[in-house]
Amino acid sequence: FKANSKESAGFAVASTASAFGFSITDNNGEITGNIYVRFYPYKSYWNPEYRNSEVRTDVLEHEQLHFDICELYGRKLYKEIINLRDSGKLDDKHMDILYSRIERQYSKYQDKYDEETNHSINRTEQAKWNKLIKRELNQLSKYSNYNTF
């Protein structure tokens, strides 16, 4: 968390900047590519007033799960790419459609997470989400080696 200021409006103790995406190469009809999941420390913010506060552990746990959700959606993207490849539909057009759909789902999921946990304040919901994301990551563990396809 090395950003000097928060990029979005409104109050926050912390803000995690992460993303998933892909790059592809079409070599005469042979599609290859890679998927990435990244954390951006220089875009991630920690309110200096709370760096040593008693909420620190709760907030860091909450922010870690934002990144874990990003990892989850990187795996979901990879799974769908494998399905496209296996069905003979792996091309630029289908990749763009797929990525747009997965990205919308990801954004809604992140918003739902913040809403239900009240940004880490609701400890009961936070604990539920911790278990849920761990379970979902485990279910997609065979898609964790998504570096190249």
Side-chain angles (χ1 to χ4, degrees):
F1 296 93
K2 297 182 178 186
N4 292 324
S5 62
K6 193 165 91 51
E7 290 190 2
S8 59
F11 173 79
V13 174
S15 175
T16 296
S18 57
F20 66 94
F22 70 94
S23 64
I24 59 172
T25 302
D26 185 344
N27 190 8
N28 295 322
E30 181 183 340
I31 304 290
T32 58
N34 64 51
I35 294 173
Y36 59 84
V37 175
R38 296 188 178 132
F39 170 70
Y40 299 101
Y42 288 96
K43 292 184 177 185
S44 298
Y45 173 74
W46 183 274
N47 188 323
E49 294 177 25
Y50 293 89
R51 285 190 194 264
N52 297 314
S53 75
E54 58 191 48
V55 300
R56 183 174 196 260
T57 302
D58 293 345
V59 171
L60 288 176
E61 179 184 80
H62 178 83
E63 294 304 314
Q64 175 64 52
L65 215 63
H66 275 295
F67 181 76
D68 293 348
I69 292 169
C70 190
E71 169 67 22
L72 175 66
Y73 276 82
R75 292 180 189 188
K76 288 182 178 205
L77 178 62
Y78 182 54
K79 178 182 177 185
E80 294 294 325
I81 288 170
I82 298 303
N83 290 340
L84 282 176
R85 184 187 67 194
D86 292 350
S87 67
K89 295 179 180 178
L90 184 58
D91 58 29
D92 289 333
K93 176 186 169 190
H94 285 98
M95 283 293 296
D96 288 341
I97 292 167
L98 170 64
Y99 181 75
S100 293
R101 179 174 52 83
I102 297 285
E103 212 288 323
R104 280 191 308 273
Q105 291 171 357
Y106 166 72
S107 182
K108 287 179 184 177
Y109 204 68
Q110 289 280 18
D111 290 344
K112 181 179 179 182
Y113 168 56
D114 272 338
E115 182 181 313
E116 290 186 4
T117 62
N118 194 14
H119 303 274
S120 82
I121 294 170
N122 186 328
R123 298 300 305 145
T124 302
E125 286 300 314
Q126 184 68 52
K128 287 179 187 176
W129 274 87
N130 292 349
K131 289 177 186 172
L132 172 66
I133 299 305
K134 182 178 181 179
R135 184 173 59 248
E136 289 187 356
L137 285 169
N138 285 335
Q139 289 171 346
L140 292 174
S141 63
K142 78 179 206 175
Y143 300 102
S144 63
N145 190 16
Y146 50 68
N147 294 326
T148 59
F149 59 87

